[in-house]
Amino acid sequence: MNKVLLNIIAVVLALLFIFPLVWMLLVSLKPDGVSVYSLADWVNWSDLNVDNYVKVVRDSPILRWTWNSLVIGVLTTVISILVSSLAAFSFSKLPFRTRGIFYLVIVSGLLIPTEAILIPLYETSLHLKLIDNMWAIILPGLTNPIGILLLKQFMDGVPKDYIEAAQIDGSRNFRLWWSICLPLTRSAMVSVGIFFFILSWNNFLWPYLSITSEENMILSAGLPTFLSNNTMSLNLIMTASAIAAIPTIIVFILLQRHIVQGVSMSGVKG
Amino acid sequence: METKLREGKGSAALRRSEPLRLRTELKAILYLIPFLVPFAVFYLWPVLRGAWMSLHVWGIQGMEKYVAFANYKKLLTNSDFYTYLWHSFYFVLLCAPTVIILGLALALIINQNIWLRTLIRSAFFLPYVLSVSVISFIWLRLFDAKNGPVNAFLHLFGLPADIHWLTDHRFVWWAITIATDWWTVGFVMVLFLAGLQEIPADHYEAAKIDGANAWERFWHITLPGLSRVMKIQIFYQIIACLKLFGQVQIMTGGGPGDSTNTMIRYIYVTGFKKDMFGLASAQSMVFCVIMLLIAVIQFKITDRSNG
Amino acid sequence: MKMKKKFTGLLTAGLTLALVMSGCSSGTKDGGTADSSEEKPKTESASGSPVEITFWNMFGGGEGDFVDQIIKGFNDSQKEVTVKQLRLESNEYYAKLSTALSSSKGPDVAVAHVDRISPFVKAKQIIPVDELASKVGFDLKQITDSNLESVTYDGQPYAVPLDTHFHMFYYNKDILKKADLLNEDGTPKLGEMTPEGFEKTLADIHAKVPDVQALAVNTPYFQEPFLNLYYEAGGDILNPDMTKAAINNDKALKVLNFYMDLYKNGYSDLNDKNPWDTFLNGKAAFWFGGVWEAGLLLGDQSKNIGAMPLPPIFGSQTHWASSHTLVIPSYVSPEKQEAAAKFMKYFSEVGGKTWGQAGHVPANSKVTESEEYKNLPYRIEFIEAQKTVKFAPPTDKYTTIITTISESLQNIIFGSETPEDGLANMEKQINEVLDN
């Protein structure tokens, strides 16, 4: 195909893709009630201001939500990686007979989505007094076995000589894991970590149900509250969305390479 | 060497060292415990509990009474169930092919070493890092019949009347598909890109020498080379599309009427809006079974073609 | 090796940081009292430190501002009780309140709509308020009879009604003037008080002022406009002893056909997802709007909007209403119960004035009889309309029933079901729920 034509198509498509985000930004900067509809609206920059941003930040806990999302994301990711790594180590390096059964049980975790166990999950969290607590979101997030599967594959690739050398030294299992497997699977762990973080950041349905007070909400679950509390002001909803999206976009731009790598690694191997 | 020895001795060694074996098992299981504990509490138990709840009438205030399979009967004889099931599958039919083809197309373009490659790739991937609420809100406004840019844009191209994207049952699924495709195509694209890069360049060289044109190269080298990724993608997209909830909840609330109500939303409304946890659990169980069936079918298909 | 050390260090630092930070965020184990780690809420006798109680409500946006004022007013006016509010998202409010009541972990006082308290009363999760009221010197007789009755079960009141809220007939004077349908005194010329007569008025407007909706209908929450006219026609949702649905009848059918006709003829826009906005922006002539929109719609003189009770086109002035009430969960300690009662007294007697400004009609008759209240724009009309309200049947299955009705109505108006089938379906589903 003609190179120039291809390039043009690519650029046009890219612009089309960015368009909704640019529009969101534009609407968020316009005064309440003003819509961006016709071409004229697009180029009218005279009424742009950050009033909406001030209003949203002042009148809603959106910054707190972002913080909650961050804390939950980091905790889920770090704990997930460690827990998955330990389990992957066990499957990959430790000889034990019942390995097969446990593996099957864990893999079955891939099959039933959280959506199908919402009700009993809610009840369980209720009994454990975890409703409206961030651990209600973190703990169920740790049941995703994909981390174990991915890390196990990488650990399988760790050369046997390393392991055997350590075992001759009399190293105990834990040392084996800590000093050898962890560092050698570092890149895989970063990938898995990024994957889990994105999953946690965008988690919607379960946090929506399990968090009751506005203050404890996470970003993705808190946004819809704008719809019910502010049905009259559509610009504010865009502002809130922009506030939710901008940090994500910035982080993405900075860490693009790693993120894309992480996602593709988990997708291709999984 | 130690391990080799143990494996080599085989069953004889194992029988002789019974107590040792138990200790080995436990030592290994120890490392599984950090995972197994939350897994058991927040996954296995709820699955079992859900099955139990589905046999009762259950309100948010607690168990009310045992009704055996009455919930299942009610569920399977209610036309709504089949409607919503159909909706979920309809969405799969709309969204999965479009997002895969689009993702492949974008990957092919990016793979051609165009200008500003990284920048353009970022543009396509960017929506994926946003959360479902953000994208739903954006497209909710974009598709607004009177004030939305989508209709404004279409008017420029000569569209006579406003399309009611979110309130006309002829268009609403397209609206949701477009929003979802925009959101998730980056993920698909990236996977195809990784797959494309694994196809050895010399295959293409050889084909060119043989006189194959671009289309033939695509059909006979690229597509087969991507078959593994393609299979994974299809499976993944089917499952993901069946779980549709967020976009529908925010953009249409299941409407117009209930033409965009899906299985998951059905479970949510029955449980949390109508306070019928028992019935909702029954719906969840049925949904689980369907998902498992799909996984099994998918497995059988890939297994057969691999073997 | 260096890499490993660096990585391990990073990992440990990250984990520690996250754990420390998580301690700082208010996602602590008790969902009730939030931060304030210095002043521990004392439950012993308030010798110096006030009793702190948590108050749950779902009032966002404009209403939220008024509630904030009331709470501040209460906290400032005395030193015995401090109220801390937790604003919950309204969509899931009742799921969350029910959860809190069932798990005995939640607010000390909460807002609940009158139609939702029945299951709580039945499960003994909220306490009667008469004794508490007399303990703190709150005379419940200030509350209007109809309101007090709505929260009385077995002779005892289980909540303190704060207001009655319902719909008014808002009209845009500018549009009416253009259509030549405005009287000298600024009230609309409405013609015959029948469905046909009203439709004729709408047709008139549609012909003379074609670029606006004659009547903006609340399509997203269609159960409200439906119930308004259905109650006017004398209809009921359930039979008197609340064992069977009573909604599948020709009154309901007539009302449904009336609305469908409006949509068909273009007097109302079926596809309008924000009809309240449409009316607010002057793009509709009439609107069955909530009293809570009074501030927005009647406060700005330049909008030229007026209000009057819903026209009795279906035979009577009876119309739908609900009411916000305050309830006290049964797990609350006696001391906090009393503190909550003091708050309820304040909200009713003093806060009522502020609340009245929000548009709701206060349940406290002393407030509604005051000059201050009567001088608010169009409030006299509101008081008139309040006399003929009809609350929902006090069934403990209300949540399920209203969701079912709302869903069915959406199907009917969007054409997935005919009104006849839809009503029959509604009846069947409601009966199933009641049978359980």
Side-chain angles (χ1 to χ4, degrees):
Chain A
M1 193 184 256
N2 190 334
K3 245 334 170 91
V4 175
L5 188 59
L6 192 65
N7 276 305
I8 293 178
I9 292 180
V11 171
V12 168
L13 281 176
L15 286 175
L16 272 177
F17 257 75
I18 296 290
F19 163 76
L21 295 173
V22 172
W23 181 85
M24 167 188 77
L25 198 61
L26 205 59
V27 172
S28 72
L29 291 170
K30 292 246 176 194
D32 214 355
V34 174
S35 180
V36 177
Y37 183 68
S38 64
L39 217 53
D41 291 333
W42 274 88
V43 294
N44 176 15
W45 289 2
S46 59
D47 53 359
L48 293 185
N49 61 65
V50 292
D51 281 351
N52 287 339
Y53 283 86
V54 172
K55 195 150 186 255
V56 170
V57 170
R58 192 191 60 203
D59 294 343
S60 82
I62 196 165
L63 290 181
R64 151 130 266 145
W65 293 342
T66 312
W67 179 250
N68 291 340
S69 283
L70 199 63
V71 169
I72 291 179
V74 169
L75 279 174
T76 310
T77 306
V78 171
I79 299 179
S80 262
I81 297 180
L82 288 176
V83 166
S84 300
S85 180
L86 282 169
F89 172 70
S90 178
F91 281 122
S92 175
K93 299 298 168 214
L94 298 182
F96 62 113
R97 291 254 301 188
T98 47
R99 164 196 298 200
I101 303 175
F102 279 104
Y103 196 71
L104 210 61
V105 167
I106 288 180
V107 166
S108 75
L110 280 176
L111 292 173
I112 300 182
T114 318
E115 288 82 0
I117 50 170
L118 285 176
I119 313 273
L121 188 59
Y122 189 75
E123 205 217 7
T124 308
S125 306
L126 199 58
H127 283 144
L128 294 175
K129 303 233 190 285
L130 288 178
I131 293 286
D132 203 30
N133 184 312
M134 67 173 177
W135 290 99
I137 302 179
I138 298 178
L139 291 172
L142 299 177
T143 62
N144 191 344
I146 204 163
I148 300 182
L149 299 177
L150 289 172
L151 289 178
K152 173 177 177 299
Q153 277 194 315
F154 273 89
M155 282 197 191
D156 284 346
V158 169
K160 275 229 159 143
D161 334 345
Y162 280 44
I163 309 281
E164 284 158 15
Q167 280 178 333
I168 286 177
D169 281 348
S171 284
R172 295 213 291 206
N173 287 338
F174 188 73
R175 265 250 82 139
L176 213 59
W177 172 71
W178 182 259
S179 321
I180 314 260
C181 286
L182 263 196
L184 287 178
T185 52
R186 193 170 62 102
S187 63
M189 287 193 353
V190 170
S191 302
V192 170
I194 288 177
F195 186 67
F196 271 130
F197 190 82
I198 294 184
L199 268 177
S200 167
W201 185 264
N202 291 339
N203 198 4
F204 175 64
L205 186 49
W206 174 240
Y208 186 60
L209 292 171
S210 56
I211 299 295
T212 45
S213 53
E214 262 199 358
E215 297 211 326
N216 290 339
M217 283 194 183
I218 64 170
L219 203 48
S220 55
L223 270 188
T225 64
F226 272 92
L227 198 57
S228 59
N229 290 344
N230 289 290
T231 33
M232 312 252 179
S233 57
L234 304 160
N235 296 61
L236 284 186
I237 294 176
M238 280 301 109
T239 312
S241 304
I243 295 179
I246 287 174
T248 325
I249 295 177
I250 293 178
V251 168
F252 170 70
I253 293 178
L254 294 175
L255 295 180
Q256 288 196 46
R257 214 162 34 96
H258 296 281
I259 293 176
V260 171
Q261 197 175 44
V263 167
S264 65
M265 250 202 252
S266 20
V268 172
K269 303 284 182 191
Chain B
M1 279 180 293
E2 222 182 274
T3 14
K4 274 208 193 102
L5 269 170
R6 198 174 286 155
E7 281 165 1
K9 287 265 164 73
S11 38
L14 291 166
R15 252 181 276 135
R16 231 189 304 139
S17 43
E18 278 291 331
L20 194 66
R21 189 173 70 128
L22 186 60
R23 209 157 65 94
T24 322
E25 300 292 304
L26 285 180
K27 267 171 54 174
I29 292 171
L30 187 66
Y31 286 80
L32 294 181
I33 293 202
F35 179 80
L36 287 177
V37 169
F39 188 72
V41 174
F42 292 97
Y43 181 79
L44 290 177
W45 168 249
V47 170
L48 295 172
R49 184 73 168 160
W52 176 244
M53 282 170 101
S54 66
L55 303 175
H56 295 74
V57 170
W58 205 294
I60 201 164
Q61 306 185 304
M63 171 167 77
E64 283 173 30
K65 63 181 192 207
Y66 179 73
V67 292
F69 289 99
N71 281 331
Y72 287 96
K73 189 154 153 268
K74 196 197 273 198
L75 164 66
L76 294 171
T77 54
N78 187 349
S79 65
D80 280 347
F81 169 71
Y82 297 100
T83 312
Y84 302 151
L85 194 60
W86 164 240
H87 287 162
S88 296
F89 276 100
Y90 183 65
F91 183 62
V92 172
L93 291 175
L94 277 186
C95 191
T98 50
V99 82
I100 288 180
I101 294 175
L102 189 60
L104 181 57
L106 293 179
L108 287 169
I109 293 178
I110 304 261
N111 207 30
Q112 297 295 321
N113 246 328
I114 50 176
W115 311 325
L116 307 171
R117 189 170 185 240
T118 315
L119 203 62
I120 293 188
R121 186 191 62 181
S122 313
F124 294 141
F125 190 76
L126 192 53
Y128 184 67
V129 302
L130 301 173
S131 80
V132 70
S133 353
V134 170
I135 67 114
S136 299
F137 276 125
I138 294 179
W139 284 95
L140 172 65
R141 297 301 301 133
L142 289 179
F143 278 126
D144 189 295
K146 286 194 290 262
N147 296 315
V150 172
N151 273 342
F153 194 60
L154 291 173
H155 281 313
L156 272 180
F157 280 76
L159 182 77
D162 281 331
I163 294 184
H164 293 112
W165 289 100
L166 299 174
T167 49
D168 186 334
H169 66 93
R170 293 168 300 171
F171 294 100
V172 69
W173 277 113
W174 285 108
I176 298 186
T177 306
I178 292 174
T180 310
D181 279 350
W182 177 80
W183 184 35
T184 56
V185 77
F187 178 66
V188 181
M189 173 191 76
V190 154
L191 291 187
F192 276 131
L193 260 178
L196 282 174
Q197 276 154 12
E198 282 188 2
I199 301 177
D202 33 346
H203 285 204
Y204 289 111
E205 290 304 318
K208 265 192 218 160
I209 292 174
D210 280 349
N213 64 29
W215 177 250
E216 283 166 353
R217 290 203 298 274
F218 173 74
W219 196 252
H220 295 289
I221 300 179
T222 314
L223 272 189
L226 288 176
S227 70
R228 204 175 110 243
V229 180
M230 183 72 81
K231 286 201 188 87
I232 294 175
Q233 266 311 300
I234 294 177
F235 178 59
Y236 187 82
Q237 288 302 324
I238 293 179
I239 303 286
C241 289
L242 284 175
K243 297 199 281 187
L244 178 65
F245 175 77
Q247 299 91 301
V248 162
Q249 175 71 355
I250 294 178
M251 288 167 75
T252 64
D258 61 354
S259 44
T260 56
N261 225 353
T262 58
M263 280 305 297
I264 300 292
R265 187 161 190 280
Y266 186 39
I267 296 174
Y268 162 74
V269 168
T270 309
F272 289 90
K273 291 273 180 226
K274 290 199 194 168
D275 202 28
M276 304 204 283
F277 278 6
L279 186 56
S281 296
Q283 292 162 356
S284 306
M285 289 295 123
V286 174
F287 183 69
C288 271
V289 168
I290 294 174
M291 298 286 263
L292 282 168
L293 271 171
I294 292 180
V296 166
I297 293 176
Q298 141 82 14
F299 191 66
K300 283 268 146 46
I301 294 180
T302 46
D303 219 28
R304 220 170 351 131
S305 57
N306 276 342
Chain C
M1 278 303 124
K2 240 191 247 171
M3 288 286 254
K4 179 197 76 168
K5 281 217 177 79
K6 195 163 168 220
F7 176 68
T8 325
L10 213 67
L11 192 64
T12 328
L15 196 55
T16 322
L17 191 71
L19 283 171
V20 166
M21 288 298 138
S22 69
C24 290
S25 77
S26 76
T28 42
K29 298 243 189 287
D30 55 330
T33 38
D35 29 64
S36 66
S37 37
E38 297 97 35
E39 37 162 308
K40 296 188 194 330
K42 299 220 171 24
T43 35
E44 303 92 63
S45 46
S47 47
S49 19
V51 177
E52 191 179 280
I53 55 174
T54 40
F55 168 47
W56 280 15
N57 65 74
M58 77 296 267
F59 297 127
E63 286 171 327
D65 292 337
F66 287 111
V67 169
D68 290 342
Q69 269 182 54
I70 297 176
I71 294 179
K72 186 165 185 309
F74 178 66
N75 286 339
D76 287 346
S77 72
Q78 44 76 48
K79 297 249 182 302
E80 295 152 7
V81 184
T82 312
V83 169
K84 221 171 159 68
Q85 81 165 320
L86 220 58
R87 179 167 302 149
L88 268 66
E89 205 257 294
S90 55
N91 266 333
E92 311 301 329
Y93 183 77
Y94 285 104
K96 292 165 182 179
L97 185 61
S98 302
T99 306
L101 291 175
S102 305
S103 61
S104 298
K105 193 182 72 129
D108 300 307
V109 61
V111 170
H113 284 86
V114 69
D115 26 42
R116 307 274 182 157
I117 65 177
S118 178
F120 303 148
V121 174
K122 196 166 159 204
K124 298 210 197 330
Q125 291 171 336
I126 57 178
I127 57 173
V129 296
D130 41 0
E131 275 179 37
L132 276 176
S134 42
K135 228 198 232 170
V136 298
F138 178 26
D139 182 12
L140 287 177
K141 289 212 207 47
Q142 296 170 70
I143 315 273
T144 54
D145 289 338
S146 56
N147 281 110
L148 203 52
E149 207 189 294
S150 69
V151 295
T152 303
Y153 291 83
D154 281 335
Q156 282 189 302
Y158 275 82
V160 171
L162 292 176
D163 65 45
T164 318
H165 54 271
F166 43 88
H167 298 99
M168 295 294 288
F169 187 63
Y170 290 95
Y171 49 90
N172 185 316
K173 296 187 212 170
D174 291 333
I175 298 180
L176 287 179
K177 197 142 184 241
K178 269 198 222 157
D180 226 3
L181 287 170
L182 197 64
N183 288 322
E184 308 286 303
D185 58 356
T187 59
K189 283 196 198 142
L190 282 180
E192 232 181 75
M193 277 297 135
T194 62
E196 297 78 20
F198 188 65
E199 234 188 289
K200 199 158 158 301
T201 314
L202 295 180
D204 222 358
I205 299 177
H206 187 65
K208 296 198 190 124
V209 194
D211 55 343
V212 301
Q213 282 183 54
L215 170 70
V217 175
N218 197 344
T219 316
Y221 296 94
F222 187 71
Q223 63 276 13
E224 287 176 15
F226 169 74
L227 286 176
N228 271 326
L229 294 186
Y230 179 59
Y231 283 165
E232 272 193 9
D236 270 299
I237 298 181
L238 303 177
N239 63 1
D241 52 346
M242 303 195 296
T243 51
K244 284 253 172 306
I247 203 166
N248 187 8
N249 51 50
D250 45 306
K251 297 192 193 91
L253 198 56
K254 229 175 145 217
V255 172
L256 283 173
N257 283 328
F258 171 73
Y259 278 116
M260 304 284 278
D261 223 26
L262 295 189
Y263 287 132
K264 200 173 72 175
N265 291 325
Y267 307 147
S268 309
D269 184 5
L270 179 64
N271 291 304
D272 191 349
K273 277 177 146 242
N274 306 294
W276 44 84
D277 260 349
T278 309
F279 182 74
L280 178 65
N281 294 328
K283 295 272 190 297
F286 295 131
W287 164 237
F288 292 174
V291 291
W292 54 89
E293 296 177 66
L296 211 57
L297 297 174
L298 303 172
D300 184 354
Q301 297 282 40
S302 64
K303 290 207 188 322
N304 255 330
I305 294 177
M308 58 180 268
L310 294 177
I313 53 182
F314 268 86
S316 74
Q317 292 273 178
T318 314
H319 58 135
W320 172 92
S322 183
S323 144
H324 293 117
T325 72
L326 287 178
V327 295
I328 302 182
S330 44
Y331 54 73
V332 177
S333 70
E335 197 199 21
K336 288 202 177 182
Q337 280 182 13
E338 202 176 306
K342 290 190 187 143
F343 177 57
M344 287 159 120
K345 174 174 193 278
Y346 180 86
F347 204 125
S348 181
E349 294 174 350
V350 182
K353 299 190 201 129
T354 316
W355 199 234
Q357 288 172 34
H360 301 291
V361 178
N364 191 318
S365 47
K366 282 229 178 75
V367 175
T368 47
E369 284 162 12
S370 70
E371 283 309 309
E372 208 182 317
Y373 179 73
K374 290 202 238 187
N375 282 334
L376 294 171
Y378 290 96
R379 286 315 191 276
I380 306 209
E381 308 281 349
F382 287 23
I383 296 177
E384 259 318 294
Q386 199 229 354
K387 298 201 180 124
T388 52
V389 298
K390 187 183 173 93
F391 289 123
T395 159
D396 59 333
K397 298 270 194 302
Y398 178 73
T399 308
T400 319
I401 292 176
I402 193 68
T403 308
T404 310
I405 293 180
S406 308
E407 274 184 355
S408 286
L409 287 175
Q410 289 293 313
N411 277 336
I412 295 174
I413 58 176
F414 277 101
S416 324
E417 272 185 324
T418 65
E420 290 83 3
D421 286 342
L423 284 173
N425 205 349
M426 234 191 269
E427 182 184 48
K428 179 161 159 281
Q429 285 187 54
I430 296 178
N431 283 336
E432 268 174 21
V433 167
L434 290 171
D435 280 339
N436 262 331

